Amino acid sequence: MYRYFLQPQLDVSNNSLIGYELLIRQQVDDKWVLPHDFASIPIDVQADLIQRTAKKLMLKIGSVSFNVNQSQFVDPTIAKAIINAQHQIYPINLVLEVTEEVTDEQVSHQQIIDQVHYFDEHGIQLSLDDIGTGLNTYEHLEPILSYASEIKFAMQNFRQEKRENEIPEALAFWQKIATQYKLRLILEGVENQAEHDMANRIGVDLRQGWFYGKPHLFKL
């Protein structure tokens, strides 16, 4: 059985809840765990979960987001299920966070751009996840930045790569990029007061992390 755990996304400038990221988990031996292979989860299962979850949240938030890899983002069957889910949960916006996960299938920038136009017609937005780490460098993302609605800076990725000392400078860089391209920038992985204060200094208002709320099981 699969369920979504919800993590709040906040605008700290006015202390408001702007949305939730939906983090899928699988129940194994009475415990909720990360699925071993996200790509193997049937998309109709995810779409049904999105619909049921979002409908219960209808009056509370403006958007819900969830992760897909590049191959899933351009897959026509998955797109159809996602669009159907968006129609079911309107006026909540569905945001697709495209991760930097390496997939077997090579996906071109043009494929991403064409799919953004297709999703745009249905009110579905593109978020570029994990910016500044792994494959998602500025040079790699630059051709598609103007087609995105949002970028996400994951501090936990920098920690995993032992690059914590680079976070303030890298975050300031991506803040400038967000301003230049008129993108929302969400800082995720905020875990303590010091990181909260750093984000204040740099001027990043949209945030997500354990400091503001841990992912919690949403009961259906």
Side-chain angles (χ1 to χ4, degrees):
M1 182 169 67
Y2 296 97
R3 285 290 181 270
Y4 277 121
F5 278 58
L6 274 55
Q7 187 168 34
Q9 298 174 328
L10 305 176
D11 183 342
V12 299
S13 68
N14 55 19
N15 198 32
S16 64
L17 177 69
I18 60 170
Y20 286 104
E21 180 175 357
L22 308 182
L23 304 162
I24 200 161
R25 297 291 183 266
Q26 184 176 14
Q27 192 172 38
V28 179
D29 297 329
D30 295 325
K31 292 182 180 179
W32 293 101
V33 299
L34 277 170
H36 287 300
D37 180 13
F38 289 94
S40 69
I41 303 169
I43 192 60
D44 56 339
V45 170
Q46 291 199 61
D48 178 62
L49 272 179
I50 291 165
Q51 291 175 29
R52 291 164 64 196
T53 303
K55 280 180 178 177
K56 281 201 168 188
L57 295 168
M58 194 72 80
L59 300 177
K60 299 178 183 177
I61 52 164
S63 68
V64 292
S65 61
F66 73 104
N67 291 333
V68 292
N69 61 37
Q70 290 190 6
S71 295
Q72 291 169 327
F73 185 76
V74 300
D75 184 285
T77 304
I78 292 175
K80 188 176 179 180
I82 289 171
I83 287 167
N84 183 54
Q86 173 64 85
H87 290 166
Q88 295 290 327
I89 68 174
Y90 181 83
I92 291 177
N93 283 329
L94 201 52
V95 180
L96 301 183
E97 297 185 13
V98 178
T99 66
E100 46 115 32
E101 177 190 356
V102 177
T103 59
D104 294 335
E105 178 188 346
Q106 280 287 95
V107 178
S108 70
H109 286 138
Q110 192 57 52
Q111 284 177 280
I112 296 283
I113 292 165
D114 290 344
Q115 194 74 338
V116 169
H117 291 318
Y118 178 55
F119 280 137
D120 269 347
E121 296 172 7
H122 301 275
I124 297 167
Q125 299 180 358
L126 166 64
S127 172
L128 298 172
D129 203 2
D130 306 321
I131 54 172
T133 55
L135 294 176
N136 281 358
T137 61
Y138 172 72
E139 290 74 21
H140 178 71
L141 294 176
E142 193 274 333
I144 56 176
L145 279 171
S146 58
Y147 299 93
S149 298
E150 174 185 286
I151 53 178
K152 294 192 76 178
F153 186 100
M155 287 201 290
Q156 63 271 24
N157 290 8
F158 281 79
R159 295 187 196 107
Q160 288 170 2
E161 294 179 3
K162 309 296 184 192
R163 296 168 56 201
E164 294 95 328
N165 60 324
E166 298 177 28
I167 287 175
E169 184 178 351
L171 181 58
F173 168 79
W174 284 103
Q175 171 74 318
K176 290 179 182 175
I177 296 300
T179 301
Q180 177 184 342
Y181 286 89
K182 297 181 173 59
L183 302 169
R184 295 189 305 274
L185 168 60
I186 296 183
L187 174 63
E188 58 178 331
V190 182
E191 294 185 351
N192 53 50
Q193 185 70 46
E195 292 171 348
H196 170 85
D197 294 341
M198 176 204 63
N200 285 346
R201 288 193 300 273
I202 294 173
V204 179
D205 291 332
L206 306 183
R207 302 179 204 168
Q208 178 182 339
W210 282 32
F211 186 69
Y212 309 109
K214 295 181 180 181
H216 61 276
L217 173 65
F218 189 75
K219 294 181 179 178
L220 295 173

PDB file of all heavy atoms in Angstrom, residues 168-187:
ATOM      1  N   PRO A 168      25.855  29.008   1.347  1.00  0.00           N
ATOM      2  CA  PRO A 168      25.454  30.419   1.274  1.00  0.00           C
ATOM      3  C   PRO A 168      25.746  31.055  -0.083  1.00  0.00           C
ATOM      4  O   PRO A 168      24.880  31.741  -0.657  1.00  0.00           O
ATOM      5  CB  PRO A 168      26.262  31.073   2.398  1.00  0.00           C
ATOM      6  CG  PRO A 168      26.530  29.967   3.366  1.00  0.00           C
ATOM      7  CD  PRO A 168      26.723  28.748   2.520  1.00  0.00           C
ATOM      8  N   GLU A 169      26.948  30.819  -0.611  1.00  0.00           N
ATOM      9  CA  GLU A 169      27.306  31.424  -1.897  1.00  0.00           C
ATOM     10  C   GLU A 169      26.461  30.854  -3.032  1.00  0.00           C
ATOM     11  O   GLU A 169      25.981  31.595  -3.909  1.00  0.00           O
ATOM     12  CB  GLU A 169      28.792  31.189  -2.187  1.00  0.00           C
ATOM     13  CG  GLU A 169      29.270  31.864  -3.469  1.00  0.00           C
ATOM     14  CD  GLU A 169      30.762  31.654  -3.725  1.00  0.00           C
ATOM     15  OE1 GLU A 169      31.461  31.129  -2.841  1.00  0.00           O
ATOM     16  OE2 GLU A 169      31.208  32.032  -4.830  1.00  0.00           O
ATOM     17  N   ALA A 170      26.256  29.529  -3.023  1.00  0.00           N
ATOM     18  CA  ALA A 170      25.459  28.893  -4.077  1.00  0.00           C
ATOM     19  C   ALA A 170      24.000  29.355  -4.009  1.00  0.00           C
ATOM     20  O   ALA A 170      23.370  29.621  -5.043  1.00  0.00           O
ATOM     21  CB  ALA A 170      25.537  27.368  -3.952  1.00  0.00           C
ATOM     22  N   LEU A 171      23.461  29.466  -2.794  1.00  0.00           N
ATOM     23  CA  LEU A 171      22.076  29.900  -2.640  1.00  0.00           C
ATOM     24  C   LEU A 171      21.902  31.337  -3.125  1.00  0.00           C
ATOM     25  O   LEU A 171      20.909  31.658  -3.806  1.00  0.00           O
ATOM     26  CB  LEU A 171      21.647  29.779  -1.176  1.00  0.00           C
ATOM     27  CG  LEU A 171      20.207  30.178  -0.852  1.00  0.00           C
ATOM     28  CD1 LEU A 171      19.204  29.353  -1.663  1.00  0.00           C
ATOM     29  CD2 LEU A 171      19.931  30.017   0.644  1.00  0.00           C
ATOM     30  N   ALA A 172      22.860  32.195  -2.805  1.00  0.00           N
ATOM     31  CA  ALA A 172      22.806  33.588  -3.274  1.00  0.00           C
ATOM     32  C   ALA A 172      22.841  33.644  -4.802  1.00  0.00           C
ATOM     33  O   ALA A 172      22.138  34.456  -5.426  1.00  0.00           O
ATOM     34  CB  ALA A 172      23.960  34.388  -2.676  1.00  0.00           C
ATOM     35  N   PHE A 173      23.647  32.776  -5.422  1.00  0.00           N
ATOM     36  CA  PHE A 173      23.705  32.722  -6.882  1.00  0.00           C
ATOM     37  C   PHE A 173      22.347  32.346  -7.457  1.00  0.00           C
ATOM     38  O   PHE A 173      21.839  32.997  -8.392  1.00  0.00           O
ATOM     39  CB  PHE A 173      24.767  31.708  -7.329  1.00  0.00           C
ATOM     40  CG  PHE A 173      24.708  31.370  -8.793  1.00  0.00           C
ATOM     41  CD1 PHE A 173      25.251  32.232  -9.733  1.00  0.00           C
ATOM     42  CD2 PHE A 173      24.093  30.201  -9.234  1.00  0.00           C
ATOM     43  CE1 PHE A 173      25.188  31.933 -11.098  1.00  0.00           C
ATOM     44  CE2 PHE A 173      24.027  29.897 -10.592  1.00  0.00           C
ATOM     45  CZ  PHE A 173      24.576  30.766 -11.524  1.00  0.00           C
ATOM     46  N   TRP A 174      21.730  31.299  -6.909  1.00  0.00           N
ATOM     47  CA  TRP A 174      20.449  30.837  -7.449  1.00  0.00           C
ATOM     48  C   TRP A 174      19.322  31.816  -7.141  1.00  0.00           C
ATOM     49  O   TRP A 174      18.338  31.884  -7.887  1.00  0.00           O
ATOM     50  CB  TRP A 174      20.126  29.432  -6.941  1.00  0.00           C
ATOM     51  CG  TRP A 174      20.935  28.389  -7.642  1.00  0.00           C
ATOM     52  CD1 TRP A 174      22.030  27.718  -7.157  1.00  0.00           C
ATOM     53  CD2 TRP A 174      20.752  27.906  -8.970  1.00  0.00           C
ATOM     54  NE1 TRP A 174      22.528  26.856  -8.100  1.00  0.00           N
ATOM     55  CE2 TRP A 174      21.764  26.942  -9.227  1.00  0.00           C
ATOM     56  CE3 TRP A 174      19.834  28.193  -9.983  1.00  0.00           C
ATOM     57  CZ2 TRP A 174      21.864  26.271 -10.447  1.00  0.00           C
ATOM     58  CZ3 TRP A 174      19.935  27.522 -11.195  1.00  0.00           C
ATOM     59  CH2 TRP A 174      20.935  26.581 -11.411  1.00  0.00           C
ATOM     60  N   GLN A 175      19.466  32.576  -6.077  1.00  0.00           N
ATOM     61  CA  GLN A 175      18.488  33.633  -5.804  1.00  0.00           C
ATOM     62  C   GLN A 175      18.517  34.678  -6.928  1.00  0.00           C
ATOM     63  O   GLN A 175      17.472  35.149  -7.393  1.00  0.00           O
ATOM     64  CB  GLN A 175      18.800  34.294  -4.443  1.00  0.00           C
ATOM     65  CG  GLN A 175      17.996  35.548  -4.129  1.00  0.00           C
ATOM     66  CD  GLN A 175      16.552  35.247  -3.757  1.00  0.00           C
ATOM     67  OE1 GLN A 175      15.891  34.403  -4.371  1.00  0.00           O
ATOM     68  NE2 GLN A 175      16.054  35.930  -2.749  1.00  0.00           N
ATOM     69  N   LYS A 176      19.723  35.023  -7.398  1.00  0.00           N
ATOM     70  CA  LYS A 176      19.852  35.968  -8.516  1.00  0.00           C
ATOM     71  C   LYS A 176      19.251  35.380  -9.798  1.00  0.00           C
ATOM     72  O   LYS A 176      18.587  36.080 -10.571  1.00  0.00           O
ATOM     73  CB  LYS A 176      21.321  36.310  -8.749  1.00  0.00           C
ATOM     74  CG  LYS A 176      21.936  37.172  -7.656  1.00  0.00           C
ATOM     75  CD  LYS A 176      23.407  37.448  -7.938  1.00  0.00           C
ATOM     76  CE  LYS A 176      24.040  38.265  -6.817  1.00  0.00           C
ATOM     77  NZ  LYS A 176      25.501  38.450  -7.020  1.00  0.00           N
ATOM     78  N   ILE A 177      19.495  34.094 -10.014  1.00  0.00           N
ATOM     79  CA  ILE A 177      18.940  33.427 -11.199  1.00  0.00           C
ATOM     80  C   ILE A 177      17.409  33.433 -11.146  1.00  0.00           C
ATOM     81  O   ILE A 177      16.731  33.698 -12.152  1.00  0.00           O
ATOM     82  CB  ILE A 177      19.462  31.977 -11.315  1.00  0.00           C
ATOM     83  CG1 ILE A 177      20.977  31.965 -11.525  1.00  0.00           C
ATOM     84  CG2 ILE A 177      18.746  31.220 -12.429  1.00  0.00           C
ATOM     85  CD1 ILE A 177      21.449  32.681 -12.781  1.00  0.00           C
ATOM     86  N   ALA A 178      16.856  33.160  -9.965  1.00  0.00           N
ATOM     87  CA  ALA A 178      15.396  33.158  -9.807  1.00  0.00           C
ATOM     88  C   ALA A 178      14.815  34.530 -10.120  1.00  0.00           C
ATOM     89  O   ALA A 178      13.775  34.638 -10.787  1.00  0.00           O
ATOM     90  CB  ALA A 178      15.026  32.734  -8.383  1.00  0.00           C
ATOM     91  N   THR A 179      15.484  35.572  -9.658  1.00  0.00           N
ATOM     92  CA  THR A 179      15.027  36.933  -9.941  1.00  0.00           C
ATOM     93  C   THR A 179      15.112  37.224 -11.438  1.00  0.00           C
ATOM     94  O   THR A 179      14.184  37.783 -12.036  1.00  0.00           O
ATOM     95  CB  THR A 179      15.879  37.956  -9.158  1.00  0.00           C
ATOM     96  OG1 THR A 179      15.772  37.670  -7.749  1.00  0.00           O
ATOM     97  CG2 THR A 179      15.413  39.373  -9.420  1.00  0.00           C
ATOM     98  N   GLN A 180      16.230  36.818 -12.046  1.00  0.00           N
ATOM     99  CA  GLN A 180      16.454  37.073 -13.471  1.00  0.00           C
ATOM    100  C   GLN A 180      15.387  36.401 -14.337  1.00  0.00           C
ATOM    101  O   GLN A 180      14.881  36.994 -15.296  1.00  0.00           O
ATOM    102  CB  GLN A 180      17.841  36.567 -13.867  1.00  0.00           C
ATOM    103  CG  GLN A 180      18.172  36.722 -15.350  1.00  0.00           C
ATOM    104  CD  GLN A 180      19.526  36.119 -15.694  1.00  0.00           C
ATOM    105  OE1 GLN A 180      20.364  35.873 -14.819  1.00  0.00           O
ATOM    106  NE2 GLN A 180      19.753  35.850 -16.968  1.00  0.00           N
ATOM    107  N   TYR A 181      15.040  35.160 -13.993  1.00  0.00           N
ATOM    108  CA  TYR A 181      14.102  34.396 -14.813  1.00  0.00           C
ATOM    109  C   TYR A 181      12.665  34.447 -14.279  1.00  0.00           C
ATOM    110  O   TYR A 181      11.781  33.766 -14.800  1.00  0.00           O
ATOM    111  CB  TYR A 181      14.557  32.936 -14.911  1.00  0.00           C
ATOM    112  CG  TYR A 181      15.748  32.719 -15.814  1.00  0.00           C
ATOM    113  CD1 TYR A 181      17.046  32.802 -15.326  1.00  0.00           C
ATOM    114  CD2 TYR A 181      15.581  32.443 -17.170  1.00  0.00           C
ATOM    115  CE1 TYR A 181      18.154  32.606 -16.147  1.00  0.00           C
ATOM    116  CE2 TYR A 181      16.666  32.240 -18.006  1.00  0.00           C
ATOM    117  CZ  TYR A 181      17.953  32.326 -17.492  1.00  0.00           C
ATOM    118  OH  TYR A 181      19.036  32.134 -18.317  1.00  0.00           O
ATOM    119  N   LYS A 182      12.450  35.239 -13.227  1.00  0.00           N
ATOM    120  CA  LYS A 182      11.118  35.392 -12.615  1.00  0.00           C
ATOM    121  C   LYS A 182      10.553  34.036 -12.163  1.00  0.00           C
ATOM    122  O   LYS A 182       9.423  33.658 -12.491  1.00  0.00           O
ATOM    123  CB  LYS A 182      10.153  36.078 -13.579  1.00  0.00           C
ATOM    124  CG  LYS A 182      10.575  37.500 -13.945  1.00  0.00           C
ATOM    125  CD  LYS A 182       9.585  38.156 -14.881  1.00  0.00           C
ATOM    126  CE  LYS A 182       9.907  39.612 -15.123  1.00  0.00           C
ATOM    127  NZ  LYS A 182      11.250  39.842 -15.708  1.00  0.00           N
ATOM    128  N   LEU A 183      11.378  33.301 -11.396  1.00  0.00           N
ATOM    129  CA  LEU A 183      11.016  31.984 -10.887  1.00  0.00           C
ATOM    130  C   LEU A 183      10.784  32.033  -9.384  1.00  0.00           C
ATOM    131  O   LEU A 183      11.416  32.827  -8.673  1.00  0.00           O
ATOM    132  CB  LEU A 183      12.148  30.989 -11.170  1.00  0.00           C
ATOM    133  CG  LEU A 183      12.580  30.797 -12.617  1.00  0.00           C
ATOM    134  CD1 LEU A 183      13.869  29.983 -12.677  1.00  0.00           C
ATOM    135  CD2 LEU A 183      11.486  30.107 -13.415  1.00  0.00           C
ATOM    136  N   ARG A 184       9.904  31.182  -8.891  1.00  0.00           N
ATOM    137  CA  ARG A 184       9.863  30.936  -7.445  1.00  0.00           C
ATOM    138  C   ARG A 184      11.108  30.140  -7.081  1.00  0.00           C
ATOM    139  O   ARG A 184      11.473  29.201  -7.794  1.00  0.00           O
ATOM    140  CB  ARG A 184       8.632  30.114  -7.052  1.00  0.00           C
ATOM    141  CG  ARG A 184       7.299  30.783  -7.286  1.00  0.00           C
ATOM    142  CD  ARG A 184       6.157  29.970  -6.665  1.00  0.00           C
ATOM    143  NE  ARG A 184       6.121  28.603  -7.134  1.00  0.00           N
ATOM    144  CZ  ARG A 184       5.500  28.199  -8.249  1.00  0.00           C
ATOM    145  NH1 ARG A 184       4.868  29.070  -9.028  1.00  0.00           N
ATOM    146  NH2 ARG A 184       5.491  26.925  -8.606  1.00  0.00           N
ATOM    147  N   LEU A 185      11.726  30.490  -5.964  1.00  0.00           N
ATOM    148  CA  LEU A 185      12.849  29.708  -5.429  1.00  0.00           C
ATOM    149  C   LEU A 185      12.442  29.181  -4.068  1.00  0.00           C
ATOM    150  O   LEU A 185      12.139  29.964  -3.158  1.00  0.00           O
ATOM    151  CB  LEU A 185      14.109  30.565  -5.307  1.00  0.00           C
ATOM    152  CG  LEU A 185      15.271  29.953  -4.496  1.00  0.00           C
ATOM    153  CD1 LEU A 185      15.749  28.644  -5.118  1.00  0.00           C
ATOM    154  CD2 LEU A 185      16.435  30.942  -4.383  1.00  0.00           C
ATOM    155  N   ILE A 186      12.399  27.854  -3.932  1.00  0.00           N
ATOM    156  CA  ILE A 186      12.093  27.242  -2.635  1.00  0.00           C
ATOM    157  C   ILE A 186      13.364  26.631  -2.077  1.00  0.00           C
ATOM    158  O   ILE A 186      14.033  25.831  -2.742  1.00  0.00           O
ATOM    159  CB  ILE A 186      10.992  26.163  -2.767  1.00  0.00           C
ATOM    160  CG1 ILE A 186       9.673  26.794  -3.222  1.00  0.00           C
ATOM    161  CG2 ILE A 186      10.794  25.441  -1.427  1.00  0.00           C
ATOM    162  CD1 ILE A 186       8.508  25.817  -3.313  1.00  0.00           C
ATOM    163  N   LEU A 187      13.700  27.029  -0.864  1.00  0.00           N
ATOM    164  CA  LEU A 187      14.847  26.454  -0.155  1.00  0.00           C
ATOM    165  C   LEU A 187      14.344  25.286   0.677  1.00  0.00           C
ATOM    166  O   LEU A 187      13.481  25.460   1.540  1.00  0.00           O
ATOM    167  CB  LEU A 187      15.487  27.516   0.747  1.00  0.00           C
ATOM    168  CG  LEU A 187      16.618  27.031   1.663  1.00  0.00           C
ATOM    169  CD1 LEU A 187      17.803  26.530   0.853  1.00  0.00           C
ATOM    170  CD2 LEU A 187      17.045  28.144   2.622  1.00  0.00           C
TER     171      LEU A 187
END
